[in-house]
Amino acid sequence: MALSLWLGAVSFAQPTPNTPPPDFSPRVFEIAGELRCPVCQGESAAESNAGIAVEMRRIIAEQLAQGKTEAEIRQFFVERYGDWILYEPPARGLTLWVWLSPLIGLGLLGYGLWRYLARVRARVQAPIADVSDEEIARLEAELQTPERKS
């Protein structure tokens, strides 16, 4: 009985995931949500429970308490880790190619499709002058149904 009461108390004492602890404001998690966790795969600093992500949230809370803006805090992490730390890196330099590559890919696909359809259309509309009279007569003979032949 005491064990079940203790287990029940322990289960209720666990913090629910993705809710800010009482010592961090939701604004800390908003800013941390825009930053990658440096050691986690595909998790933001707000979602991760890794030590470095917890430290990043603490630094964000500290800098907010000092009166720094969100842009200044993001810049602090960019100076430390580079543009990679941002979930939405700025569109400049090498990352500009990453932003533009889907448009370039769609443009190349559209150009290839247009060239293919133009070639097919030209083949369909090509004059039949290249076909000899003998071939035309043979084709007409093959196209006649058996009822027409008789």
Side-chain angles (χ1 to χ4, degrees), residues 16-133:
T16 57
N18 295 331
T19 57
D23 56 338
F24 289 144
S25 71
R27 194 161 172 228
V28 170
F29 280 85
E30 286 177 24
I31 297 170
E34 297 171 2
L35 302 172
R36 281 182 211 280
C37 172
V39 295
C40 308
Q41 290 281 329
E43 284 187 308
S44 71
E47 299 166 336
S48 175
N49 287 325
I52 194 164
V54 173
E55 181 65 14
M56 288 172 71
R57 291 192 297 258
R58 188 192 62 74
I59 290 171
I60 293 169
E62 232 176 64
Q63 292 189 356
L64 282 174
Q66 293 172 358
K68 291 189 177 178
T69 64
E70 289 182 24
E72 290 172 331
I73 295 170
R74 276 194 296 271
Q75 186 60 35
F76 170 80
F77 285 105
V78 167
E79 288 171 2
R80 186 174 250 184
Y81 296 102
D83 286 336
W84 172 85
I85 199 75
L86 300 173
Y87 261 115
E88 289 189 27
R92 66 172 186 249
L94 184 62
T95 57
L96 181 62
W97 287 107
V98 174
W99 285 96
L100 293 178
S101 62
L103 295 175
I104 293 170
L106 282 175
L108 289 174
L109 181 68
Y111 178 74
L113 186 62
W114 176 73
R115 293 288 303 157
Y116 172 75
L117 291 176
R119 188 178 302 161
V120 168
R121 193 175 311 124
R123 193 177 303 158
V124 168
Q125 294 174 350
I128 57 170
D130 297 343
V131 181
S132 67
D133 292 337

